[in-house]
Every structure is written in structure tokens, then in C-alpha cells.
């Protein structure tokens, strides 16, 4: 495989879109199963496959790579102001529409002029705090905390990239700092892992990577990564000792702290493996990757709306045929709604972002010295 990244990276890496799509489906399936079937069917073992909680870690690691790839691998100039405008228009509009419909659905039994004024004008239920995304405030739409993290770290990404371009050795030290600081900033370390993958992309994707010790032990490393990725499910079935949990809490760590590392291993494996890339470039997977952000946004609302109509038909314990039928209905509904969201909301605002940034005057530019 060529070592020169420009030979192989001028095109969009569609296989990474597909990987994001698979992660989005994992989140969907985990929430769908947890909604009514987790306890009634004793299917918790499915969460080893549909581990939606920790698929979020993959989103963060992948975002770190994708957001830095253009500037570190392709050496494009990063205009900070344009970056912020594009990022806000990428994340916010589709999220706001989802939150708006979620609020309408949540208060559907009480909707009248008075309640609408309370929700959207007088802000009685703190709708606007949740809508603004700048603070982790999630009442109506619980997956929104991840979008708050994405937006928060997006404001830090240009400075992380600047450090990486100056000297990539800064990034491991920065990971230690973010983990020590804890709170929401600790999630930065996952984005930083993605940036590490970006700074080492030509090496990871190149033939020389096969000569490393890590590659020789790739099977055990991948197996260990899967075990770490499943640590939350292992704790559910075989709870860890109180001492372990005390030390973890004292150090300011949680299960996300471990699963981010496993997702970094998965990302490196995808970036290197031609076989994995070929599989992920399947048209259906690429399409799911294209609408993956919308899948993530709308899936909870679609599941809740669906259950309004079907839950009365579910007897417990439910039959496998009932579970299968409702699952297929949910999958079809999510894909249809997500596709509509992607083409009606996402794409127009992405184009608007490109139009606005194309008209903006240059601001602070970050680029590697030539």
C-alpha cells in the first residue's frame, strides 16, 4: 500500500461513514431493546453486540479523526471562524428539529395555546436550555448529552489540531491532562485519540505497519479491545468489586474511559485493513453511513411514537414473532424518517454552511509549515 497519503486520501473515506452508520444502528437497537424487551425477554446478552452506550465512544474517536483528517493528512488550511460556523450548522439544525418534535410528542396530551406558551415562550420546562446545546442539559431528549459534548469539543478541536501540527507528541500529554481534569472535558481524550490516528495515518495505512509488534499480535489485541468495549455489559452480568469501583471513581474514570481506547483500536484496524474497507464500502452500508447522524437523532422519537400504536398488542413475555415484527417496523420507520431528515434538513444546512463560509473573510488560519 502506498505510503504517500495524498495518493490514497484525496477521495472521501466512505468506509468510515459506514462504520459510523453501524455504530448508529447499535445505538438504535440498544434503545429499542431496552424500551420494552430487555427484562421481559432476558436478552441482555444482545447488548454485547448492540452496545449502544459505548458505540458513542466510537462516535467521539471517529469525530476526532474525521475533523482533523482534512487539516493534518491533506494539509488543508483551517480557518477557525469558518470551522465553527460549519460545525454549528452541521450539528444544530437537525438536532433542534428533533428536539422540537420530541417536545411536541412529550406534551401531546396537554397541547393548547397556554401550554405552548409555557414551553416555547416562557420556557417553563427549560426547553431553550436544552435546545442551545452549550450546556449538558437533557430532560426531553436524553441522547442530547452526546451532542453537547460534540459541540463543546468542536470549539477545542482547532487548537488540538494546531498542537498536533506543531508536534504530534503533544497529543498524548494532552490526553493525560484531559483525563485528570475530568467532568465533560475528559471526553476530549476520545477525540484526541482520533487525532493521534490522523497524525499517524500514512504509517497506519502503509505496508510498514505490518512490521510492528502490534500487528503481530493483532488478533489478541482486537480480542482484548472487544472485551474492554464490553466492560459495561460484563459489569452488569458479573459486577465488579466495590473496591474497583471506588478506585475508578476516585481517579475520575468511568466505563467510557476504557471503551474509548478500544474504539481507537477498532479505528486503527479499519484504517489499515483493505478487507474491512472493502466490506464497509458496500452501498447499503455507505447509505446508512450517509444518514447516520439523522438515525442517531430521530431513533428515540421514532421508537416512542411507534410504541404508542403497538405496545397494547404486546403480551409478556412476548413471542419471538412479535419481537421480530416490531423490530422490522422500527428499523423501517427509523430509516424512512432519518432519510427525510437527512435530505430535508441536514443537506440544505450543510450547503448553507459551505455558502456562508465561502463568503467569509479569512480569520485565524492554522496550517502546517511548508
Amino acid at each position: 500500500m502506498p505510503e504517500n497519503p495524498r495518493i490514497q486520501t484525496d477521495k472521501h473515506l466512505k468506509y468510515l461513514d459506514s462504520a459510523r452508520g453501524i455504530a448508529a444502528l447499535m445505538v438504535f437497537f440498544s434503545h429499542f431493546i431496552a424500551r420494552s424487551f430487555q427484562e421481559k425477554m432476558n436478552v441482555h446478552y444482545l447488548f454485547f453486540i448492540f452496545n449502544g452506550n459505548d458505540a458513542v465512544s466510537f462516535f467521539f474517536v471517529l469525530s476526532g479523526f474525521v475533523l482533523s483528517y482534512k487539516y493534518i493528512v491533506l494539509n488543508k488550511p483551517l480557518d477557525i471562524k469558518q470551522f465553527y460556523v460549519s460545525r454549528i450548522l452541521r450539528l444544530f439544525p437537525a438536532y433542534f428539529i428533533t428536539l422540537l418534535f420530541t417536545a411536541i410528542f412529550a406534551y401531546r396530551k396537554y397541547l393548547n395555546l397556554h401550554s405552548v406558551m409555557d414551553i416555547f415562550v416562557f420556557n417553563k420546562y427549560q426547553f431553550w436550555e436544552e435546545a442551545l446545546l452549550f450546556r449538558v442539559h437533557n430532560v426531553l431528549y436524553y441522547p442530547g448529552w452526546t451532542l453537547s459534548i460534540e459541540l463543546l469539543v468542536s470549539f477545542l478541536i482547532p487548537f488540538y489540531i494546531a498542537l498536533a501540527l506543531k508536534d504530534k507528541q503533544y497529543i498524548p500529554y494532552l490526553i493525560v491532562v484531559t483525563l485528570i481534569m475530568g467532568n465533560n472535558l475528559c471526553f476530549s481524550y476520545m477525540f484526541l485519540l482520533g487525532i493521534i490516528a490522523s497524525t499517524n495515518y500514512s504509517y497506519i495505512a502503509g505496508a510498514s505497519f505490518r512490521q510492528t509488534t502490534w500487528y503481530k499480535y493483532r488478533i489478541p489485541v482486537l480480542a482484548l479491545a472487544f472485551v474492554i468495549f464490553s466492560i459495561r455489559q460484563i459489569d452488569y452480568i458479573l459486577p465488579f468489586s466495590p473496591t474497583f469501583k471506588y478506585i475508578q471513581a476516585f481517579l475520575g474514570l468511568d466505563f467510557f474511559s476504557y471503551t474509548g481506547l478500544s474504539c481507537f483500536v477498532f479505528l486503527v484496524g479499519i484504517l489499515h485493513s483493505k478487507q474491512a474497507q472493502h466490506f464497509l464500502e458496500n452501498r447499503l452500508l455507505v447509505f446508512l453511513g450517509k444518514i447516520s447522524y439523522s438515525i442517531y437523532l430521530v431513533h428515540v422519537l421514532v421508537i416512542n411514537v411507534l410504541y404508542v400504536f403497538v405496545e397494547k398488542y404486546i403480551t409478556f413475555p412476548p413471542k419471538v414473532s412479535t419481537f421480530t415484527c416490531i423490530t422490522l417496523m422500527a428499523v423501517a420507520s427509523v430509516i424512512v424518517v432519518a432519510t427525510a431528515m437527512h435530505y430535508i434538513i441536514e443537506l440544505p444546512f450543510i450547503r448553507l454552511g459551505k455558502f456562508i463560509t465561502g463568503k467569509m473573510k479569512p480569520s485565524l488560519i492554522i496550517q502546517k509549515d511548508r
Side-chain angles (χ1 to χ4, degrees):
M1 184 178 294
E3 297 288 352
N4 185 349
R6 287 195 177 277
I7 294 176
Q8 54 198 5
T9 57
D10 284 339
K11 65 177 184 178
H12 182 68
L13 302 180
K14 293 181 180 180
Y15 55 83
L16 292 183
D17 289 340
S18 299
R20 185 189 292 108
I22 292 172
L25 287 179
M26 289 172 65
V27 175
F28 155 69
F29 278 114
S30 68
H31 287 156
F32 171 77
I33 294 169
R35 174 63 171 77
S36 283
F37 293 106
Q38 179 176 350
E39 302 299 334
K40 300 296 191 299
M41 292 186 70
N42 191 27
V43 291
H44 190 83
Y45 62 89
L46 288 176
F47 287 93
F48 282 93
I49 301 173
F50 304 119
N51 184 355
N53 285 318
D54 298 296
V56 169
S57 299
F58 187 76
F59 288 144
F60 292 158
V61 174
L62 185 58
S63 285
F65 176 83
V66 171
L67 292 175
S68 61
Y69 164 85
K70 178 180 177 181
Y71 310 107
I72 293 176
V73 179
L74 300 183
N75 200 24
K76 303 288 186 181
L78 192 164
D79 184 299
I80 290 184
K81 189 186 296 184
Q82 293 179 13
F83 179 86
Y84 288 157
V85 170
S86 295
R87 198 72 183 132
I88 289 172
L89 289 173
R90 179 71 182 93
L91 293 176
F92 185 76
Y95 164 76
F96 181 80
I97 294 297
T98 303
L99 181 63
L100 180 64
F101 280 99
T102 299
I104 292 171
F105 178 75
Y107 299 111
R108 65 191 182 281
K109 295 181 180 178
Y110 315 101
L111 276 184
N112 53 47
L113 181 59
H114 179 72
S115 62
V116 168
M117 293 291 288
D118 281 344
I119 298 168
F120 301 114
V121 179
F122 301 117
N123 200 34
K124 184 177 180 180
Y125 303 104
Q126 298 183 319
F127 171 85
W128 290 105
E129 283 86 340
E130 189 164 354
L132 288 175
L133 268 182
F134 288 100
R135 293 289 183 268
V136 183
H137 179 90
N138 307 109
V139 178
L140 290 168
Y141 180 72
Y142 59 85
W145 71 270
T146 63
L147 278 303
S148 294
I149 298 297
E150 282 273 1
L151 190 62
L152 170 65
V153 179
S154 290
F155 283 98
L156 299 173
I157 285 288
F159 304 100
Y160 293 164
I161 292 174
L163 285 173
L165 289 174
K166 182 70 175 177
D167 189 338
K168 65 181 182 181
Q169 299 301 323
Y170 285 129
I171 304 302
Y173 291 104
L174 197 54
I175 287 176
V176 174
V177 170
T178 56
L179 286 173
I180 291 174
M181 295 183 70
N183 297 322
N184 293 325
L185 194 58
C186 75
F187 285 99
S188 279
Y189 109 91
M190 300 184 196
F191 292 81
L192 289 165
L193 287 173
I195 292 176
I196 287 179
S198 184
T199 58
N200 293 280
Y201 174 79
S202 60
Y203 174 63
I204 293 170
S208 59
F209 187 70
R210 295 174 178 269
Q211 308 305 316
T212 64
T213 302
W214 290 108
Y215 187 82
K216 294 178 183 178
Y217 297 100
R218 61 192 180 280
I219 302 302
V221 168
L222 284 171
L224 179 60
F226 179 78
V227 171
I228 294 173
F229 185 71
S230 303
I231 191 170
R232 194 184 308 273
Q233 316 311 323
I234 295 171
D235 177 60
Y236 182 88
I237 297 170
L238 299 170
F240 297 125
S241 68
T243 302
F244 172 84
K245 293 184 178 179
Y246 170 79
I247 294 173
Q248 177 180 260
F250 177 77
L251 295 174
L253 302 175
D254 61 15
F255 291 139
F256 284 116
S257 305
Y258 317 129
T259 58
L261 187 61
S262 64
C263 291
F264 171 73
V265 174
F266 299 151
L267 176 62
V268 170
I270 292 170
L271 293 176
H272 178 77
S273 173
K274 281 285 191 179
Q275 292 84 356
Q277 292 168 19
H278 179 72
F279 170 77
L280 291 170
E281 286 175 346
N282 173 275
R283 287 187 177 183
L284 176 60
L285 292 178
V286 170
F287 173 73
L288 292 175
K290 183 184 296 186
I291 64 171
S292 58
Y293 181 51
S294 288
I295 289 176
Y296 183 78
L297 286 175
V298 306
H299 77 276
V300 173
L301 178 59
V302 171
I303 290 170
N304 288 335
V305 171
L306 178 66
Y307 271 102
V308 169
F309 300 101
V310 303
E311 196 153 29
K312 59 186 176 183
Y313 300 109
I314 303 175
T315 56
F316 292 104
K319 297 179 180 178
V320 172
S321 58
T322 303
F323 175 73
T324 303
C325 181
I326 296 175
T327 300
L328 292 175
M329 290 173 61
V331 170
S333 300
V334 165
I335 290 176
V336 169
V337 175
T339 301
M341 172 76 83
H342 176 73
Y343 285 103
I344 296 173
I345 305 298
E346 273 194 82
L347 280 183
F349 277 97
I350 290 173
R351 294 183 183 120
L352 177 62
K354 290 179 179 179
F355 175 79
I356 292 174
T357 55
K359 298 292 185 180
M360 292 171 62
K361 295 180 179 180
S363 61
L364 180 61
I365 306 294
I366 296 171
Q367 190 173 20
K368 187 175 182 178
D369 295 334
R370 294 183 182 277

